[in-house]
Amino acid sequence: MKKLLMIGFSAALFLGACSEETATEDTAKEQTASEETSKETGNAKQEFMRFYMSIPQTINGADVDLNTFEVNQTESTLPEGADLQAMKDAAKASAEKTAAAVEGIEIPESLADHKEDIEAGLSSIKESYDMKAEELTKEASFEAANAKFAEADEKFNAMLESLELNPSSIYTEVAK
């Protein structure tokens, strides 16, 4: 009887140790999977932020003359006559160059999950610059073009928030 009790006790200890080891292995596997998911999410965030920050850099490389015109217009310091026309022509060329630069932005493959939304945002930005170029052949009111750019900011902010990142504004980065 003692032998039977001892065998039962030993079996219970052995089974308990095995189940604890299995539980530890399962926990380790779950933790590893969780870490990999966190790492992938972190990489997606980094990739998106890198791409997101490249947009204003691309725009700022092309829209200098347009910004100059807009600042002068806002401050009511636009020149008159031929100087005004020269400034408008330079701003129009700058807006067209910027629209082409935005159209040429390539979306990294790592952001394929967001490609449709990114394309929609970039399309709104391009359209905004196309509108500004058109307005520079007239009185140059940029309200509608700025509203179109705001649409792009909203689209990009939705993506930022979906990645648990703080919203931002490309417009404030390029309107300097």
Side-chain angles (χ1 to χ4, degrees), residues 21 25 52 55 79 86 108 118 129 134 173:
E21 187 175 301
E25 287 175 10
Y52 181 80
I55 297 169
I118 291 170
Y129 282 97
E134 177 63 28
E173 293 296 318

Side-chain angles (χ1 to χ4, degrees), residues 20-143:
E20 188 175 303
E21 187 175 301
T22 302
T24 302
E25 287 175 10
D26 289 345
T27 302
K29 287 179 184 176
E30 289 173 12
Q31 186 175 4
T32 301
S34 175
E35 288 172 1
E36 287 176 12
T37 300
S38 293
K39 201 179 285 185
E40 289 173 11
T41 301
N43 288 341
K45 287 179 182 181
Q46 288 177 348
E47 285 296 316
F48 187 78
M49 283 307 298
R50 233 186 314 269
F51 174 76
Y52 181 80
M53 295 309 295
S54 74
I55 297 169
Q57 291 173 347
T58 300
I59 292 170
N60 285 334
D63 73 346
V64 175
D65 289 330
L66 176 62
N67 282 346
T68 301
F69 180 86
E70 287 185 271
V71 167
N72 283 306
Q73 184 183 42
T74 301
E75 295 175 354
S76 299
T77 57
L78 288 172
E80 294 181 12
D83 290 339
L84 174 60
Q85 191 56 50
M87 185 180 256
K88 284 177 92 172
D89 291 343
K92 181 179 182 293
S94 181
E96 291 168 345
K97 181 179 175 184
T98 304
V102 169
E103 187 173 40
I105 293 175
E106 292 187 28
I107 301 168
E109 287 183 33
S110 59
L111 299 177
D113 293 347
H114 302 282
K115 186 174 183 172
E116 189 175 308
D117 293 330
I118 291 170
E119 286 174 341
L122 291 175
S123 177
S124 291
I125 292 172
K126 181 194 176 305
E127 191 175 338
S128 171
Y129 282 97
D130 287 339
M131 292 168 74
K132 287 183 179 189
E134 177 63 28
E135 282 297 316
L136 285 159
T137 63
K138 307 174 194 174
E139 289 296 314
S141 172
F142 299 128
E143 289 178 28

Side-chain angles (χ1 to χ4, degrees), residues 137-171:
T137 63
K138 307 174 194 174
E139 289 296 314
S141 172
F142 299 128
E143 289 178 28
N146 291 338
K148 182 56 78 173
F149 203 109
E151 287 178 20
D153 266 344
E154 289 174 17
K155 290 171 186 171
F156 280 107
N157 279 329
M159 287 180 270
L160 287 167
E161 289 172 357
S162 76
L163 291 168
E164 299 175 356
L165 296 167
N166 291 330
S168 184
S169 173
I170 293 174
Y171 185 77

